[in-house]
């Protein structure tokens, strides 16, 4: 690269959100300590507060039926009510997530 040149990337908010989501999908095995092939992912952005929530559930039950996040779980409400699960995705701690039951997230969604 020429010493007098500067290479620049500028992206829109939509492209930035896509990048963040795709990065989490790509690294979910490390971030969530799961087998990505057995998980279904859900996410939400709160642009007003500059927050992002990413979660995964088991994608199939023992009979091979597809599972989904219960409709009673509102990630827009959850993102506003739960605390951050890590202060950095580069933390040496490697525990970035907190595990909740579906029932706990439904209760959080109700309030």
């Amino acid at each position: 690269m020429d010493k007098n040149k500067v290479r620049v990337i500028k992206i829109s908010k939509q492209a930035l959100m896509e990048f963040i989501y795709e990065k989490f999908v790509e690294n979910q095995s490390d971030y969530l300590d799961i087998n990505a092939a057995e998980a279904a992912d859900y996410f939400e952005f709160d642009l007003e507060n500059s927050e992002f929530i990413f979660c995964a559930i088991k994608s199939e039950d023992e009979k091979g039926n597809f599972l989904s996040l219960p409709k009673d779980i509102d990630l827009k409400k959850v993102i506003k009510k739960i605390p951050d699960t890590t202060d950095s995705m580069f933390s040496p701690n490697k525990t970035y997530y907190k595990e909740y039951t579906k029932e706990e997230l439904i209760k959080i969604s109700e309030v």
Side-chain angles (χ1 to χ4, degrees):
M1 188 169 153
D2 185 295
K3 68 177 182 175
N4 293 315
K5 303 281 179 150
V6 177
R7 294 185 183 182
V8 176
I9 296 173
K10 179 194 180 268
I11 59 176
S12 69
K13 180 172 30 175
Q14 181 64 34
L16 181 60
M17 292 178 356
E18 289 172 3
F19 178 79
I20 292 168
Y21 170 71
E22 290 300 330
K23 200 66 171 160
F24 272 79
V25 169
E26 179 183 324
N27 294 301
Q28 67 183 317
S29 295
D30 295 329
Y31 295 161
L32 296 172
D33 192 26
I34 59 171
N35 179 342
E38 298 176 357
D41 308 314
Y42 296 86
F43 70 98
E44 187 63 57
F45 285 92
D46 177 352
L47 297 176
E48 182 180 314
N49 295 305
S50 302
E51 295 177 322
F52 173 70
I53 191 170
F54 183 83
C55 54
I57 63 167
K58 189 169 179 66
S59 60
E60 294 181 10
D61 66 15
E62 52 283 335
K63 295 179 183 178
N65 299 312
F66 290 110
L67 301 172
S68 63
L69 197 65
K71 292 182 177 159
D72 295 338
I73 297 175
D74 184 342
L75 291 181
K76 289 182 182 194
K77 290 182 179 178
V78 172
I79 196 173
K80 292 181 183 295
K81 295 178 181 177
I82 65 169
D84 290 350
T85 61
T86 185
D87 59 351
S88 172
M89 293 308 295
F90 300 104
S91 170
N93 184 2
K94 291 287 210 178
T95 303
Y96 308 111
Y97 66 91
K98 179 176 188 314
E99 195 166 76
Y100 292 89
T101 65
K102 291 177 182 176
E103 290 78 21
E104 288 172 320
L105 293 181
I106 288 170
K107 285 184 181 179
I108 291 169
S109 295
E110 291 173 347
V111 179

